[in-house]
Amino acid sequence: MDRKNQTPQGQIAQVVVEFLEVAVSCIVFLKGFYPTRAFERRRYMNVVVQKAVHPQLAGYIHSVTIGLLPFIQKGLVERVVVIFYDKDHIPVEKFVFKLAVSQSYGSNIEQSSLEFALRAFLIKLSVAEPLTKPLPPDSSWEIAAYFRSLPAADGVKDKEDGGAQLWIPTDTKMWMQPPQITPVKSMGCDPLKMQLYLEQPSPAEAKDPATQP
């Protein structure tokens, strides 16, 4: 895609979805969910990363992240979350990317500066394993997006409206107690604000009878 002819928001969104595709792949590798042969060491933003190469895995990650492009561009996406579940489909860990694309930013985007800032997230992810918890047997995972408002209600029309129809409500179960939050990395300047943090169940969660099956 030719970024020169895009709006600043379009340029930002394109960089963000490409970054998210790589970051999600790194997270799944970090958790050891698949054999290492499902990934390949590659260099992205001058950082060595683990990129999914298994066709179904890579296809799922790509289709979800690229599907978010028009909604990130319009500032509709609040969070992109990689959720890991136990066998009862109760979340055991969440990697949360909270983001905001400035809708009033009108200057040209310094892509190198934006990529330099996002590069720091990938470096942090590569050493984040000590912050995480081992996955239980028969676990699963998915990518979820949390919208500030429903895309159809904000005038996202035409082919983007068709993309909105591909997103369905998640049946993710909620924790009864506020989660433990571990910050990983953040950037807080226009035109893009982003936070990456871990959410894990509170120690009190396991003691709450309401959470028991």
Side-chain angles (χ1 to χ4, degrees):
M1 184 178 294
D2 185 3
R3 292 178 183 162
K4 293 181 179 179
N5 297 325
Q6 290 180 304
T7 63
Q9 289 73 26
Q11 294 173 29
I12 297 163
Q14 187 70 36
V15 173
V16 169
V17 296
E18 290 174 3
F19 160 79
L20 287 173
E21 181 175 357
V22 174
V24 170
S25 183
C26 290
I27 289 169
V28 178
F29 176 84
L30 179 75
K31 297 299 296 179
F33 199 88
Y34 300 103
T36 55
R37 64 178 178 274
F39 302 85
E40 185 176 271
R41 284 168 58 90
R42 294 187 181 175
R43 188 170 290 276
Y44 174 73
M45 293 183 178
N46 205 31
V47 179
V48 175
V49 298
Q50 295 288 344
K51 187 77 165 55
V53 293
H54 185 279
Q56 290 179 311
L57 174 60
Y60 168 65
I61 296 173
H62 176 75
S63 64
V64 172
T65 52
I66 198 67
L68 287 170
L69 177 60
F71 311 115
I72 291 176
Q73 178 177 342
K74 291 180 177 293
L76 297 178
V77 178
E78 180 183 25
R79 287 171 289 156
V80 178
V81 187
V82 183
I83 309 174
F84 293 90
Y85 301 96
D86 65 13
K87 60 183 177 61
D88 297 315
H89 205 64
I90 296 174
V92 294
E93 193 165 65
K94 301 178 183 179
F95 287 76
V96 183
F97 293 89
K98 185 175 182 180
L99 54 96
V101 175
S102 172
Q103 296 301 293
S104 60
Y105 193 85
S107 304
N108 290 330
I109 301 300
E110 289 290 339
Q111 185 174 325
S112 59
S113 298
L114 186 58
E115 291 183 350
F116 182 81
L118 292 173
R119 174 177 177 268
F121 284 78
L122 297 174
I123 294 172
K124 284 286 188 178
L125 268 178
S126 69
V127 294
E129 187 175 5
L131 303 176
T132 70
K133 296 181 178 180
L135 292 176
D138 301 318
S139 54
S140 59
W141 73 280
E142 70 175 355
I143 306 168
Y146 292 80
F147 292 83
R148 291 184 170 86
S149 58
L150 292 175
D154 284 77
V156 183
K157 302 295 184 182
D158 304 325
K159 66 178 181 180
E160 295 176 12
D161 186 55
Q165 302 307 313
L166 298 177
W167 290 89
I168 60 174
T170 179
D171 60 352
T172 301
K173 296 179 181 178
M174 304 295 290
W175 290 316
M176 301 299 293
Q177 304 290 334
Q180 286 186 322
I181 295 178
T182 304
V184 177
K185 182 63 182 173
S186 65
M187 57 183 285
C189 57
D190 279 341
L192 173 67
K193 294 181 174 66
M194 181 182 289
Q195 293 177 304
L196 169 61
Y197 55 89
L198 276 172
E199 286 189 0
Q200 295 162 331
S202 164
E205 187 77 22
K207 302 175 184 178
D208 191 329
T211 65
Q212 299 303 315

